[in-house]
Amino acid sequence: MPMPDTVPPELASAADLVREAARQLRHAAAVSPPTADIQLAGAALADGTAGVALAHIERARAGLDSWLHAHEWICRAAAAPVSDHDAAGLFFGAPALAFVLDAAAGPTGRYRGGLVELDAAITRLAHRRAAQTLARIQAGRLTSFAEYDVFLGLTGLGALLLRRALASSATEQVLTALVALTRPLTVDDETLPGWWVGHDPHRRQTQAFRGGHSNLGAAHGITGPLALLSLAARRGVLVDGHLDAVGTICDWLDAWQQDGPTGPWWPEHLALGELRAGRCVQPGPARPSWCYGTPGITRAGQLAAIALGDRPRQMAYEQALLACLDDPAQQARLTDPGLCHGQAGLFQTVWRVAADATTSDLRTRLPKLADRLLHAAQTVDPSGPGFLTGSAGIALALHTASTNTAPLSGWDTCLLIN
């Protein structure tokens, strides 16, 4: 839904934004033919040709570029056989390619044949992965990022299934497994949240995180499943215990919310000692990014509040994001232009929160964010041509800023902020 008058010319003109989006796309397209690294990562959203294709698809669907360019990048992404084995997820393999083709499909049904074939593989994958999660829970073992997160886990698969197979058994099983993930788990006589992972934030075994940790971020933490469960509920798709699970995660976020002088914030992660002490050691808010920071957490919380019909909770999350945006110290920590942990991800997340917000306060912050994104895109070299940290993702956020409308391709579904 468009939000009028949020990007006035005096801060960042639509023409400037469009020109910069086109420049970022040219930067992405400059990798032609693809390097060996990009060829190997073809069906990968983060830094492969699949992610670059999303930017061209969005512009083609908006009538700003030729479908020939988009099709060229789609063909590059599909050139090598795609994986549908158990390591595949939304950002890699068959699900990543299906996401790209679905983004391109639109009302004309483009790529229908390829999608039908991929849908069958993804359905089988989702059933296997959900069954593995339920078996692991039954056995009383700790989880890992790869089991449940947005990039490779059940949350990402669920995001794709909400687009491709809303009322399917695969969607039901993924949601059921994520609901089960929210129930406490007892390991070595220690009662832990069901999403407690058995490794450190970098997927390693280190002394500082002996016994694992709980991650609160949107990319790898429990706010990813919270966003998915909330989006599913918002669309009328519920499984047994669904809203109780949403409430459980909200209670966890409430328990670990920190109230600083500039507003609420949440720790990025919690080690076992912090859980036992009931106190986090992180001294203050980290960078305000989609992946780990207040923006991603507050969008998930807002979606949860909408799903629960809890207006006071919704307003509290929106005010927390507003405080984050108005804190110069937090904003100064955001120096990257990209989607994952930079200005592009901040803008796109705030745009989505503002579209659902109870007041217009967040909308009034969008012009300044658009101006900062434009400046970063013009002055900071992106990390390659890719989607998550590179110029393709920057171009997509710039496109949202210039058009002030939700993406026609739904590309930000893969960030669970839609």
Side-chain angles (χ1 to χ4, degrees):
M1 178 179 297
M3 294 183 294
D5 303 324
T6 57
V7 189
E10 65 266 27
L11 287 179
S13 74
D16 285 343
L17 291 164
V18 169
R19 280 194 293 270
E20 187 55 29
R23 188 187 75 82
Q24 292 289 344
L25 277 177
R26 286 195 296 272
H27 180 91
V31 187
S32 182
T35 64
D37 286 345
I38 283 223
Q39 284 178 322
L40 287 173
L45 289 184
D47 56 5
T49 50
V52 178
L54 285 176
H56 293 275
I57 289 166
E58 181 63 29
R59 286 180 58 83
R61 289 196 59 171
L64 298 174
D65 204 351
S66 165
W67 271 106
L68 291 176
H69 293 149
H71 182 69
E72 177 185 1
W73 282 94
I74 291 168
C75 288
R76 291 177 180 182
V82 293
S83 170
D84 61 354
H85 57 66
D86 289 350
L90 179 58
F91 274 67
F92 171 72
L97 183 58
F99 185 82
V100 169
L101 295 184
D102 184 73
T108 65
R110 298 179 187 88
Y111 306 104
R112 184 181 293 110
L115 279 167
V116 168
E117 184 176 345
L118 288 167
D119 283 342
I122 291 161
T123 294
R124 294 191 296 269
L125 174 65
H127 278 285
R128 289 199 310 272
R129 295 285 298 274
Q132 289 165 7
T133 294
L134 293 172
R136 191 268 310 159
I137 292 171
Q138 184 65 32
R141 300 192 306 273
L142 294 177
T143 186
S144 65
F145 287 165
E147 181 184 77
Y148 75 86
D149 74 4
V150 172
F151 295 149
L152 296 175
L154 289 174
T155 298
L157 284 175
L160 177 60
L161 289 167
L162 287 186
R163 288 177 65 119
R164 297 293 307 158
L166 185 64
S168 69
S169 61
T171 303
E172 179 185 9
Q173 287 304 302
V174 166
L175 294 174
T176 297
L178 288 174
V179 166
L181 188 80
T182 68
R183 299 181 184 122
L185 189 68
T186 300
V187 179
D188 296 331
D189 297 324
E190 189 102 44
T191 299
L192 303 167
W195 58 85
W196 194 272
V197 297
H199 51 71
D200 75 4
H202 302 287
R203 303 180 185 84
R204 300 177 303 207
Q205 298 296 323
T206 53
Q207 187 63 32
F209 289 90
R210 185 178 180 183
H213 80 285
S214 170
N215 195 289
L216 281 78
H220 299 298
I222 191 54
T223 48
L226 177 63
L228 178 70
L229 290 168
S230 302
L231 287 166
R234 200 175 182 185
R235 299 185 67 178
V237 179
L238 295 166
V239 298
D240 289 346
H242 195 124
L243 294 182
D244 288 340
V246 171
T248 294
I249 303 171
C250 287
D251 289 345
W252 176 261
L253 293 178
D254 288 348
W256 290 100
Q257 177 181 310
Q258 310 296 304
D259 295 310
T262 58
W265 58 275
W266 290 263
E268 293 185 330
H269 38 65
L270 299 161
L272 192 55
E274 293 170 283
L275 179 70
R276 289 168 174 166
R279 181 173 56 86
C280 80
V281 299
Q282 185 176 317
R287 64 186 174 194
S289 61
W290 163 76
C291 57
Y292 268 92
T294 295
I297 292 172
T298 53
R299 176 53 171 166
Q302 181 199 41
L303 289 169
I306 292 170
L308 295 171
D310 188 340
R311 189 175 176 85
R313 185 186 293 274
Q314 180 182 348
M315 294 175 66
Y317 276 114
E318 291 164 5
Q319 288 301 310
L321 178 57
L322 194 65
C324 168
L325 297 177
D326 290 345
D327 180 5
Q330 287 188 66
Q331 294 303 309
R333 296 189 180 100
L334 207 65
T335 58
D336 188 286
L339 276 177
C340 187
H341 37 253
Q343 296 288 349
L346 175 64
F347 179 87
Q348 192 71 25
T349 303
V350 175
W351 194 95
R352 284 294 193 176
V353 176
D356 285 329
T358 53
T359 71
S360 62
D361 291 343
L362 284 163
R363 297 176 196 174
T364 67
R365 304 312 195 267
L366 287 170
K368 184 175 181 180
L369 293 177
D371 194 49
R372 288 175 56 193
L373 171 59
L374 180 61
H375 177 75
Q378 292 172 330
T379 59
V380 181
D381 286 336
S383 177
F387 169 76
L388 203 56
T389 61
S391 54
I394 298 167
L396 283 163
L398 285 167
H399 180 80
T400 299
S402 66
T403 62
N404 196 34
T405 56
L408 294 173
S409 65
W411 64 264
D412 57 356
T413 300
C414 69
L415 303 180
L416 272 297
I417 59 174
N418 57 298

